[in-house]
Amino acid sequence: MHRRWFLQSCGFAFFFVALQYAHGDLSYSVQEELKRGSVIGNIAKDLGLEVGSLSARKARVDMEGNDRHYCGINLRSGDLIVAERIDREEHCGEKPSCVLKFDLLLENPLELHRLSLQLQDINDNAPIFPKDIVKLEIRESADKGDRYRINAAQDADVGKNSVERYILQPNPHFLFSIQTTSAGRKYGELILNKELDREEQQEMKVLLTAVDGGSPQRSGTVVIHVIVLDANDNAPVFTEAVYTVTLPENSPMKTPVITVSASDADEGVNGEVTYEFSRLSDKTQKLFLLDEKTGDISVTGDIDYEEGSKYEVFVEAKDGYGLSSEAKVIIDITDVNDNAPVIYLKSLTNPIPENVSPGTEVGIINVQDRDSENNRHVRCSIQQNVPFKLVPSIKNYYSLVTTGQLDRELVSDYNITITATDEGSPPLSSSKTVQLSVADINDNPPVFEEQSYSAYVTENNKPGSTLCSVTARDPDWRQNGTVIYSLLPGEVNGAPVSSYLSVNGDTGVIHAVRSFDYEQFRSFKVHVMARDNGSPPLSSNVTVSVFISDVNDNSPQILYPAPEGNSFMTELVPKAAHGGSLVSKVIAVDADSGQNAWLSYHIVKSTDPGLFTIGLHSGEIRTQRDISESDSMKQNLIVAVKDNGQPSLSATCSMYLLISDNLAEVPELKDISYDEKNSKLTSYLIIALVSVSTFFLTFIIIILGVRFCRRRKPRLLFDGAVAIPSAYLPPNYADVDGTGTLRSAYNYDAYLTTGSRTSDFKFVTSYNDNTMPADQTLRKSPSDFADAFGDCEASPEVGTHFICY
């Protein structure tokens, strides 16, 4: 209460003395008990640093061997401020000079300064006597001038703030005097100024006040209770004035420390000596116990070298009637290696970018050991299986640096165990685990699971149908590993690739934008790009081959006989044709492929079912037997052409055959016509028969022309006749051996004729055995036909005409 009143009345005045900056050290002088936040000095100014750099370099103040933060730094102003109450008596006790040591630490680069704080005492402690009442038994025979020792008052302050003088309450019998021992200790003596008379006054009480020299002054009092006795003229005497003993720390309870001894020359009660501590701090009082009869000092508390390495106690020996003497006991505490090193993580960069170069500092470690000498020498290390190492720096500071290249995709987190071991016997150690995360850098492009992809789709697919899925993996994290798919620009058959396919940017699923037609194109390739979402983004490409499979969606198309127009085509069959003779051929193609284009030929209806047969796969019409006189001259065949698809598609055509050997029988063609054109064709045939006799000479000329053109392998065609080169075929038609298309094991020349809407004829040159020569093949290109037939053209105006190509 006195101290609080004193602080409130006087305020927290402080001052600074002599600022020194030499060899990296700073020294300040400041009063104790300053308010929290009080400014001690300006670190930035004294070190010549920019104020802004203190925050960037993480400036801080640590006290060696103490976790409490008595000082702090205002990073905005650079001021060194009081962070916690500082009590000089707590740190330095009765020492006349009190200096606290701090470490001022700056990072990046690591820089250490020693900071000394000189604490100046203020008068915040009043003098205190060991006891509230001091009993003195003085024999009445005591002579004037006899002196009686009074334990001096103690004041935790030092210098002028300690006890300066004593004031004894005025009385007729006693005076008070201050004495100083050879060791510099002060004590008081009560001087008998007037003889005592027990019969007059058996006891008396006087008040003794101790006053310090502070401003304002503080004081303490003690009551001296004097009991008048008979004479006791010998005080106890110690065997030694100063006792010294060594005690290991962590000594167990009741461990004997030392025994003090004093003797008194008096006899009886006057010679009985008792012991007690005369001056003992609260802290020491909890550690040691004194047996008042034997003088044995023993341990009663935890002895810790780090809390106190030396204790001084004073023992008073007193006889039965109040005479006493004092001895000093010095107890030196020896250190035992009982404190393991403590590891402090002062700074840590977390997470660490995976592209940091080897040798980068990522953390600062401080190791402290509260023991002394070899017991506080510490070695620090980390495990060997991590790409980090500890580099000794300043004092007990270590830098944690990288030793190799980091890769988050291989190891994303590190648990680094730091072990600190002292050099005590036995050594003690401790460890601390530091968790470090590796931050991702976009250093991996997406990688497709396959080198190329193939997609198979059936033609006539629905738009939007799924073709296939591409997948790319990116081991990076978050947006650096997020894969987006897209089609690279390109063309398919002259159209943008985007008009054929689309890709889902998130899943990589490829969809068809349109329906495909196998007959237009059978396959194409596109390129898909996988790009991550990093900065800058990385990408990779893959080729996707799309194969279109055929569907039986095209019916066979009959090229010969041509189904176009209102005219019809007639084949002339010699009467002498034997069984197996080739008389004609149905030519058909199918735009599909594979088995969908495998064609088969069937006669579904004929005038004489047993006379003609057709090759199942060749389409060749042959006689099954020799032609007889009884066979009808006019034969009508209906041929069906089927493909091999599922379901099968087909087409039909009509084939008209005329059994005749010469042109004289041609007028009999008047009855051959389509059913729906019978009346018209009949009139044409009548006119034709009349014209035969009139223009016989014209036919002779025509025959001569035919013989001439035969040498050049001509094709004699009446009006409407068609030669079938391969150029006539529609594009993408199948060309398969033995399936009824244009290619065959052998070919023949076909001469097709349709009349000029009035009569239809076919004129066939005769060959040996009524068959076509093997070398008369159906050419496959227009140029071949030009070479075979030439460019001549004859057109007699007799109702018919011949064309030679």
Side-chain angles (χ1 to χ4, degrees):
M1 292 297 293
H2 286 295
R3 181 169 63 182
R4 182 177 301 172
W5 171 86
F6 173 72
L7 293 174
Q8 291 177 350
S9 61
C10 296
F12 293 95
F14 61 90
F15 61 91
F16 306 109
V17 191
L19 171 65
Q20 298 179 359
Y21 176 50
H23 306 291
D25 291 351
L26 295 175
S27 179
Y28 297 92
S29 180
V30 65
Q31 287 184 349
E32 64 172 330
E33 302 291 349
L34 289 179
K35 289 182 179 179
R36 185 174 297 176
S38 299
V39 178
I40 299 174
N42 191 285
I43 294 294
K45 179 179 179 182
D46 298 337
L47 292 179
L49 299 174
E50 293 292 337
V51 175
S53 66
L54 295 179
S55 176
R57 297 183 64 182
K58 301 179 182 178
R60 58 181 175 272
V61 176
D62 294 332
M63 184 176 181
E64 183 178 348
N66 199 321
D67 294 336
R68 298 177 64 182
H69 296 280
Y70 292 100
C71 295
I73 297 177
N74 188 328
L75 299 178
R76 292 189 299 270
S77 63
D79 291 332
L80 178 67
I81 61 174
V82 176
E84 191 174 338
R85 171 181 170 270
I86 305 176
D87 186 4
R88 190 201 67 81
E89 287 74 29
E90 177 184 353
H91 295 283
C92 301
E94 296 180 358
K95 294 180 181 179
S97 176
C98 184
V99 179
L100 300 184
K101 300 292 186 179
F102 296 89
D103 288 337
L104 173 59
L105 186 66
L106 300 172
E107 297 184 11
N108 196 23
L110 184 61
E111 186 176 347
L112 180 67
H113 296 272
R114 297 291 293 173
L115 178 63
S116 300
L117 193 63
Q118 178 76 38
L119 289 181
Q120 291 190 350
D121 185 51
I122 64 172
N123 191 26
D124 58 341
N125 293 282
I128 299 175
F129 286 92
K131 297 180 179 180
D132 294 334
I133 298 177
V134 176
K135 289 185 177 181
L136 289 178
E137 295 178 347
I138 303 176
R139 298 183 67 85
E140 62 178 340
S141 60
D143 297 329
K144 181 182 180 180
D146 287 347
R147 297 173 178 267
Y148 302 94
R149 186 186 180 100
I150 301 296
N151 290 331
Q154 297 186 28
D155 194 325
D157 298 322
V158 296
K160 68 177 184 177
N161 294 326
S162 64
V163 178
E164 185 178 60
R165 59 192 177 92
Y166 292 84
I167 302 174
L168 184 65
Q169 181 183 1
N171 67 90
H173 294 282
F174 295 98
L175 300 175
F176 191 79
S177 175
I178 296 297
Q179 302 296 325
T180 304
T181 65
S182 58
R185 301 282 298 180
K186 291 184 177 182
Y187 65 95
E189 289 185 341
L190 192 64
I191 303 173
L192 185 61
N193 190 42
K194 181 183 178 180
E195 289 81 4
L196 299 176
D197 187 355
R198 183 177 176 276
E199 289 70 27
E200 181 181 344
Q201 189 177 7
Q202 291 185 358
E203 62 182 26
M204 63 186 70
K205 294 181 179 179
V206 293
L207 185 65
L208 178 62
T209 301
V211 181
D212 62 23
S215 178
Q217 289 185 336
R218 294 176 178 270
S219 62
T221 60
V222 66
V223 175
I224 302 176
H225 185 194
V226 179
I227 300 174
V228 182
L229 300 175
D230 288 335
N232 180 23
D233 55 354
N234 289 290
V237 178
F238 282 97
T239 57
E240 297 181 26
V242 179
Y243 292 87
T244 302
V245 66
T246 300
L247 179 68
E249 68 170 326
N250 302 328
S251 295
M253 296 287 187
K254 299 183 180 180
T255 298
V257 179
I258 195 172
T259 300
V260 296
S261 178
S263 60
D264 194 319
D266 295 324
E267 295 181 353
V269 176
N270 294 332
E272 293 179 0
V273 180
T274 60
Y275 304 93
E276 64 180 23
F277 288 123
S278 61
R279 285 175 287 176
L280 201 65
S281 66
D282 293 339
K283 181 179 179 179
T284 307
Q285 193 171 10
K286 297 177 181 178
L287 298 179
F288 302 104
L289 175 67
L290 174 61
D291 190 312
E292 64 177 7
K293 292 184 178 180
T294 63
D296 294 334
I297 300 176
S298 60
V299 176
T300 59
D302 295 330
I303 306 299
D304 190 352
Y305 175 86
E306 288 69 40
E307 294 293 332
S309 60
K310 184 176 183 181
Y311 296 94
E312 292 183 359
V313 297
F314 293 88
V315 179
E316 182 181 15
K318 186 184 293 186
D319 61 20
Y321 289 102
L323 294 181
S324 64
S325 62
E326 187 179 70
K328 182 179 181 181
V329 180
I330 299 175
I331 304 174
D332 290 320
I333 307 300
T334 58
D335 184 40
V336 174
N337 190 29
D338 61 340
N339 290 283
V342 181
I343 301 172
Y344 297 97
L345 182 62
K346 295 296 184 180
S347 177
L348 183 66
T349 301
N350 197 10
I352 315 167
E354 62 177 324
N355 62 344
V356 297
S357 57
T360 301
E361 181 181 272
V362 297
I364 296 176
I365 307 298
N366 176 243
V367 183
Q368 296 184 11
D369 194 317
R370 298 181 63 193
D371 295 321
S372 63
E373 298 179 353
N374 289 339
N375 294 334
R376 69 178 302 169
H377 293 168
V378 179
R379 299 185 305 274
C380 207
S381 62
I382 61 176
Q383 75 266 34
Q384 300 298 318
N385 59 342
V386 293
F388 299 93
K389 68 177 180 179
L390 286 177
V391 178
S393 185
I394 304 170
K395 202 177 177 182
N396 291 327
Y397 286 89
Y398 296 83
S399 294
L400 181 64
V401 300
T402 59
T403 59
Q405 193 67 45
L406 304 180
D407 190 346
R408 191 204 67 83
E409 287 69 44
L410 295 178
V411 182
S412 60
D413 295 282
Y414 291 93
N415 289 326
I416 304 172
T417 301
I418 302 172
T419 303
T421 306
D422 61 26
E423 295 182 1
S425 179
L428 299 178
S429 63
S430 62
S431 61
K432 186 179 185 68
T433 299
V434 178
Q435 293 184 343
L436 279 176
S437 298
V438 181
D440 185 47
I441 299 296
N442 191 27
D443 56 349
N444 291 282
V447 177
F448 284 95
E449 292 183 347
E450 300 182 18
Q451 293 183 350
S452 63
Y453 291 84
S454 297
Y456 298 90
V457 59
T458 304
E459 66 171 331
N460 304 326
N461 58 292
K462 292 183 179 180
S465 59
T466 300
L467 301 187
C468 68
S469 177
V470 296
T471 303
R473 307 292 183 187
D474 193 323
D476 292 324
W477 194 47
R478 289 188 176 175
Q479 65 179 16
N480 293 334
T482 301
V483 179
I484 301 173
Y485 303 92
S486 62
L487 289 175
L488 290 179
E491 291 187 352
V492 176
N493 285 354
V497 67
S498 59
S499 64
Y500 288 89
L501 299 177
S502 67
V503 62
N504 188 305
D506 297 326
T507 63
V509 177
I510 297 177
H511 301 276
V513 174
R514 63 165 66 173
S515 178
F516 299 129
D517 188 355
Y518 177 84
E519 286 69 42
Q520 290 184 0
F521 52 89
R522 302 182 180 183
S523 66
F524 60 92
K525 293 183 179 180
V526 296
H527 299 282
V528 177
M529 178 179 71
R531 174 181 60 84
D532 60 30
N533 207 23
S535 180
L538 301 177
S539 63
S540 60
N541 302 335
V542 71
T543 300
V544 179
S545 299
V546 180
F547 297 95
I548 303 169
S549 59
D550 185 42
V551 172
N552 191 29
D553 59 345
N554 291 280
S555 299
Q557 182 175 349
I558 299 174
L559 302 181
Y560 177 78
E564 300 176 356
N566 293 325
S567 61
F568 60 91
M569 298 182 182
T570 303
E571 294 281 359
L572 190 63
V573 180
K575 291 181 178 181
H578 299 288
S581 298
L582 176 65
V583 297
S584 186
K585 180 176 182 178
V586 177
I587 301 174
V589 293
D590 195 317
D592 296 319
S593 67
Q595 66 178 10
N596 295 330
W598 295 350
L599 303 181
S600 60
Y601 300 84
H602 309 273
I603 297 176
V604 297
K605 186 177 181 181
S606 64
T607 302
D608 188 350
L611 182 57
F612 298 100
T613 184
I614 190 169
L616 180 63
H617 297 297
S618 65
E620 294 175 346
I621 299 175
R622 296 177 181 271
T623 57
Q624 293 192 71
R625 55 180 175 78
D626 295 344
I627 294 176
S628 64
E629 293 292 336
S630 63
D631 292 328
S632 175
M633 180 180 181
K634 296 165 286 185
Q635 297 289 331
N636 184 9
L637 303 179
I638 298 178
V639 178
V641 183
K642 296 182 179 180
D643 59 25
N644 199 33
Q646 294 294 331
S648 176
L649 300 178
S650 64
T652 60
C653 67
S654 294
M655 177 67 72
Y656 298 95
L657 303 178
L658 180 63
I659 300 176
S660 178
D661 287 332
N662 54 60
L663 294 177
E665 300 175 358
V666 170
E668 296 182 9
L669 292 175
K670 61 181 182 294
D671 295 332
I672 302 178
S673 66
Y674 293 105
D675 294 338
E676 66 273 14
K677 297 296 182 177
N678 281 340
S679 61
K680 186 177 180 179
L681 291 177
T682 301
S683 61
Y684 287 165
L685 290 175
I686 294 173
I687 296 173
L689 290 175
V690 175
S691 300
V692 168
S693 60
T694 306
F695 300 105
F696 180 77
L697 182 60
T698 304
F699 282 101
I700 298 300
I701 297 173
I702 293 173
I703 291 172
L704 294 176
V706 169
R707 291 183 178 275
F708 175 77
C709 293
R710 202 181 84 181
R711 293 191 186 98
R712 300 179 62 185
K713 297 182 180 179
R715 293 185 181 271
L716 300 182
L717 304 175
F718 290 100
D719 181 25
V722 181
I724 313 296
S726 63
Y728 176 82
L729 301 178
N732 298 326
Y733 271 56
D735 189 11
V736 182
D737 288 344
T739 62
T741 55
L742 294 181
R743 183 175 299 173
S744 177
Y746 57 87
N747 298 323
Y748 57 90
D749 291 330
Y751 299 89
L752 314 180
T753 175
T754 61
S756 58
R757 307 296 181 186
T758 58
S759 62
D760 295 341
F761 301 96
K762 176 182 178 187
F763 185 87
V764 182
T765 57
S766 178
Y767 294 93
N768 293 333
D769 298 328
N770 296 320
T771 61
M772 300 297 179
D775 61 345
Q776 301 300 305
T777 60
L778 188 62
R779 304 282 181 170
K780 283 200 169 186
S781 67
S783 61
D784 293 338
F785 279 92
D787 293 340
F789 303 115
D791 297 329
C792 64
E793 181 174 337
S795 301
E797 302 295 334
V798 198
T800 60
H801 63 271
F802 302 90
I803 302 174
C804 182
Y805 291 91

